[in-house]
């Protein structure tokens, strides 16, 4: 017998978790397919929400619109699962030269930035453990989201509810029709694909056109005696995880043959860690994952050209913790209420000659 649901969601990383949670809150029936989290970029993500980024100190895309939605969303998860997920953490950031310092000070007087920039950084909690020579800055209004903990808690919920299938998704077993989607024994009105880098194997969205996968590598480092409240960035982020344990990275790799940690990645990350950390430390783990990076660094959210019943919610990237909650809501409002999605996130923006949508 077939199982009938309103939505079939593929992938339970951060993107799939957020969109499935949004649907369940609306009272929709959902089935989720996920192959497991080995090699998932969400599982090794630091979950950093950073309002000011880049060499020119530009406010993160749509940050003022995103942040309140994100904090409300994660706060609801905290209350539902009774676990801490959100931590407010300022970012201490190394400045390369005096010109960058002058630019930073100028930004601190800009009314669009002054709530996120402290002109005088407080480095006290790092002084006994890190090399702090040179010029530094401090970002406020930044957060760390415990994405692995969030995903694990939601996975327990959907497992108990019997709406999770732990298996690979094969698009070849998917039958599209005007009335919906049939996937093996599941009949759904809509299909939402949040399958991360596996999108490259899915010809519904011609992932080889707009997907530019990268391999991210990180270290987990134990630094005895260091328990700061802030994050610090000098080339790479050093971000607290738990007592004396830190996330360090992430190194991006654009040429790779697999999703396993590389000796080159370990050597490079270790080199930069030694340049920053002035006391003995221990490398506890070295992890890697393939990230579904999109060529123009914007997410891909919206319908397939082949079916108005198939949607993509993917490519949230390194800003996923801030982007995800807002855009999950926008996608579902688009599907159910007909509210248009902007072209900047349209998966079909990469096609110059768009085919006729099969409805």
């Amino acid at each position: 017998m077939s199982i009938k649901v309103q939505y079939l969601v593929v992938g339970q990383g951060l993107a799939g978790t957020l969109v499935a949670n949004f649907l369940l809150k609306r009272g929709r029936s959902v089935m989720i397919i996920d192959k497991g989290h080995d090699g998932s970029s969400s599982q090794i993500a630091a979950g950093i929400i950073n309002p000011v980024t880049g060499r020119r100190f530009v406010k993160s895309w749509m940050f003022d619109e995103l942040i309140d939605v994100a904090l409300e969303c994660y706060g609801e998860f905290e209350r539902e699962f009774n676990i801490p997920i959100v931590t407010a953490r300022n970012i201490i950031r190394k400045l390369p030269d005096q010109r960058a310092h002058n630019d930073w000070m100028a930004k601190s007087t800009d009314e669009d930035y002054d709530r996120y920039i402290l002109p005088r950084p407080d480095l006290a909690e790092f002084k006994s453990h890190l090399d702090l020579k040179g010029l530094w800055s401090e970002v406020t209004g930044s957060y760390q989201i415990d994405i692995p903990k969030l995903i694990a808690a939601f996975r327990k919920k959907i497992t108990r509810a019997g709406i999770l299938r732990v298996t690979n998704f094969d698009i070849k077993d998917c039958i599209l029709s005007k009335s919906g989607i049939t996937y093996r024994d599941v009949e759904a009105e809509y299909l939402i694909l949040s399958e991360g880098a596996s999108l490259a194997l899915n010809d519904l969205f011609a992932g080889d056109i707009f997907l530019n996968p990268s391999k991210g590598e990180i270290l987990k480092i134990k630094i005895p005696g260091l328990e700061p409240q802030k994050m610090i960035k000098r080339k790479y982020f050093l971000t607290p995880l738990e007592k004396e344990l830190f996330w360090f990275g992430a190194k991006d790799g654009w040429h790779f043959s697999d999703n396993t940690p590389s000796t080159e990645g370990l050597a490079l990350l270790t080199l930069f860690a030694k340049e920053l950390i002035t006391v003995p430390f221990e490398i506890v783990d070295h992890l890697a994952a393939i990230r579904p990076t999109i060529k123009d660094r914007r997410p891909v959210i919206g319908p397939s050209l082949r079916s108005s019943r198939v949607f993509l919610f993917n490519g949230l990237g390194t800003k996923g913790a801030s982007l995800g909650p807002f855009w999950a809501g926008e996608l579902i409002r688009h599907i159910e209420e007909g509210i248009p999605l902007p072209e900047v996130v349209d998966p079909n923006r990469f096609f110059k000659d768009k085919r006729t949508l099969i409805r």
Side-chain angles (χ1 to χ4, degrees):
M1 293 181 63
S2 63
I3 299 172
K4 295 185 178 181
V5 294
Q6 290 166 293
Y7 289 88
L8 177 62
V9 177
V10 179
Q12 198 247 318
L14 178 62
T17 292
L18 291 172
V19 79
N21 181 66
F22 197 101
L23 290 166
L24 292 172
K25 284 172 55 181
R26 282 200 167 202
R28 305 300 184 254
S29 57
V30 179
M31 180 63 71
I32 301 157
I33 296 176
D34 185 82
K35 64 182 179 181
H37 291 140
D38 290 343
S40 165
S41 58
S42 292
Q43 283 299 103
I44 70 167
I48 298 169
I49 294 181
N50 184 0
V52 182
T53 62
R55 296 179 181 178
R56 297 184 179 182
F57 315 126
V58 177
K59 191 184 298 182
S60 293
W61 180 55
M62 294 184 62
F63 190 82
D64 292 334
E65 299 173 65
L66 301 172
I67 187 59
D68 289 342
V69 177
L71 293 178
E72 180 181 358
C73 172
Y74 297 128
E76 289 176 357
F77 278 116
E78 288 184 317
R79 292 187 290 274
E80 177 180 358
F81 299 125
N82 193 30
I83 55 175
I85 294 173
V86 182
T87 304
R89 293 194 190 278
N90 283 9
I91 299 171
I92 301 296
R93 174 177 169 172
K94 181 72 182 293
L95 298 174
D97 50 38
Q98 186 61 50
R99 180 177 179 179
H101 183 263
N102 294 341
D103 291 343
W104 182 262
M105 295 302 292
K107 286 285 187 181
S108 71
T109 63
D110 187 325
E111 62 181 12
D112 287 334
Y113 286 82
D114 58 5
R115 61 182 288 198
Y116 303 121
I117 288 179
L118 298 180
R120 294 181 178 82
D122 182 356
L123 310 178
E125 61 183 3
F126 295 108
K127 282 186 176 179
S128 59
H129 292 78
L130 305 183
D131 179 358
L132 300 175
K133 294 190 294 291
L135 300 167
W136 295 83
S137 60
E138 186 165 352
V139 179
T140 187
S142 47
Y143 298 85
Q144 182 181 11
I145 308 301
D146 195 332
I147 294 175
K149 185 182 289 185
L150 165 61
I151 290 173
F154 190 74
R155 195 174 189 84
K156 288 181 181 179
K157 172 181 176 177
I158 59 179
T159 299
R160 289 195 300 265
I163 59 173
L164 171 66
R165 290 191 174 181
V166 182
T167 184
N168 287 318
F169 176 78
D170 190 343
I171 193 64
K172 295 182 179 64
D173 292 339
C174 197
I175 300 172
L176 310 180
S177 69
K178 293 181 180 179
S179 59
I181 309 297
T182 300
Y183 183 75
R184 297 176 182 171
D185 65 333
V186 178
E187 295 180 15
E189 296 177 29
Y190 299 101
L191 171 64
I192 298 177
L193 299 169
S194 296
E195 52 191 329
S198 297
L199 178 66
L201 306 175
N202 190 326
D203 60 7
L204 271 180
F205 281 88
D208 58 332
I209 292 177
F210 57 70
L211 196 65
N212 188 24
S214 63
K215 181 158 86 170
E217 298 189 53
I218 66 107
L219 300 180
K220 287 187 177 180
I221 296 176
K222 184 175 183 180
I223 308 175
L226 181 60
E227 298 182 50
Q229 294 302 307
K230 302 173 185 178
M231 301 176 271
I232 192 163
K233 183 181 182 183
R234 184 176 129 176
K235 175 64 175 179
Y236 297 114
F237 271 99
L238 184 72
T239 303
L241 293 176
E242 53 189 77
K243 184 178 180 179
E244 299 181 342
L245 186 65
F246 295 82
W247 184 101
F248 185 71
K251 173 196 173 295
D252 286 324
W254 302 99
H255 304 285
F256 51 88
S257 58
D258 55 47
N259 64 356
T260 60
S262 68
T263 55
E264 296 83 3
L266 176 61
L268 183 65
L269 288 169
T270 302
L271 174 65
F272 279 98
K274 287 181 177 179
E275 288 183 356
L276 175 64
I277 305 166
T278 58
V279 299
F281 63 88
E282 176 189 356
I283 296 176
V284 176
D285 210 348
H286 174 209
L287 303 170
I290 308 302
R291 299 188 288 202
T293 309
I294 307 302
K295 289 184 177 179
D296 63 1
R297 301 301 180 96
R298 293 286 184 257
V300 281
I301 303 168
S304 165
L305 283 168
R306 289 183 57 187
S307 173
S308 60
R309 297 282 177 171
V310 181
F311 293 83
L312 190 62
F313 187 62
N314 208 331
L316 298 179
T318 57
K319 294 183 174 62
S322 57
L323 292 172
F326 175 88
W327 286 109
E330 291 300 294
L331 173 62
I332 303 309
R333 280 186 280 271
H334 170 72
I335 296 172
E336 299 201 339
E337 301 169 27
I339 298 175
L341 288 166
E343 188 171 354
V344 67
V345 298
D346 182 1
N348 305 310
R349 66 187 183 268
F350 298 94
F351 297 90
K352 292 182 179 179
D353 298 318
K354 296 185 179 181
R355 292 161 285 170
T356 304
L357 179 65
I358 302 172
R359 299 187 179 276

